[in-house]
Amino acid sequence: PAAQRDLLKLMLEHGPPMVRFIFTHITPDRFSEGVAREIVDLLRARSDQEGEWDVSMLLDQLDDEGLKRSIADMVFSKYELSKGWEAMGAASEEPDPWKIAEHCLLLFRRKEIGDLIAENQNRMREASTRGEPAKPYLEQHQALLAEKKELDARSQPNRNP
């Protein structure tokens, strides 16, 4: 997914401060298995080390050619989500990495809420089948929808009336 790729790129480019920022908002398990998770593990391990943060030095230390290639592709590509920012009137020569990170984190949370809604609906059906009250599930559903609506409002660009 584009949000995942952009978050990885941001962490690779901006080092420990960005790694810490992102992982105060989401857990590593929100990243897909495979190469993305390998990069996350690598970044988390390296972000605590002292000294300069340099992606080329990081690449030189890797033995896995596939992982090297994936990281290099990521670093030398444009941000996926920033392509749509022109339509929102927020495009600039050099996109603010912290704004991109915040936007990606919103997208991650929005997907997580969608997953929680689906899971809650399944539990509600199962409870109904067992003859148990559905009220706690309905309340949870309403809370999740309210949070999703709030996220949607935060992700919209400011519009002048």
Side-chain angles (χ1 to χ4, degrees):
Q4 174 177 280
R5 183 175 174 83
D6 282 357
L7 285 176
L8 291 169
K9 178 176 173 56
L10 287 164
M11 289 187 285
L12 285 163
E13 289 179 345
H14 299 283
M18 185 65 74
V19 172
R20 285 190 292 276
F21 174 75
I22 289 170
F23 289 117
T24 59
H25 292 87
I26 61 173
T27 58
D29 66 335
R30 295 300 298 161
F31 287 84
S32 304
E33 293 291 331
V35 173
R37 190 71 63 85
E38 286 181 58
I39 295 171
V40 164
D41 292 342
L42 177 70
L43 288 169
R44 290 182 69 221
R46 303 287 167 105
S47 69
D48 292 332
Q49 294 178 354
E50 296 292 323
E52 278 297 306
W53 182 268
D54 184 354
V55 177
S56 60
M57 285 176 36
L58 177 73
L59 288 171
D60 288 343
Q61 296 170 0
L62 293 175
D63 294 326
D64 184 334
E65 290 299 320
L67 188 58
K68 275 184 181 182
R69 193 170 27 262
S70 295
I71 290 172
D73 289 347
M74 225 172 269
V75 170
F76 295 113
S77 67
K78 285 190 169 192
Y79 293 106
E80 297 287 325
L81 295 177
S82 64
K83 293 174 187 172
W85 286 28
E86 272 183 38
M88 297 180 350
S92 65
E93 285 296 313
E94 188 65 34
D96 180 349
W98 300 98
K99 285 183 180 180
I100 294 172
E102 288 173 357
H103 183 72
C104 291
L105 290 166
L106 279 173
L107 293 175
F108 259 75
R109 181 62 184 152
R110 195 168 187 276
K111 179 176 181 341
E112 185 177 39
I113 290 171
D115 294 345
L116 290 170
I117 288 171
E119 182 181 322
N120 187 59
Q121 287 175 332
N122 287 335
R123 286 188 197 162
M124 187 167 41
R125 276 192 287 277
E126 291 168 2
S128 178
T129 301
R130 293 187 303 265
E132 297 172 0
K135 186 176 179 182
Y137 301 102
L138 290 171
E139 290 170 350
Q140 177 69 17
H141 185 77
Q142 291 301 318
L144 290 168
L145 286 177
E147 185 179 352
K148 184 174 183 269
K149 184 177 179 180
E150 180 186 328
L151 285 176
D152 288 346
R154 284 177 35 200
S155 69
Q156 294 297 314
N158 293 335
R159 291 195 167 98
N160 294 329

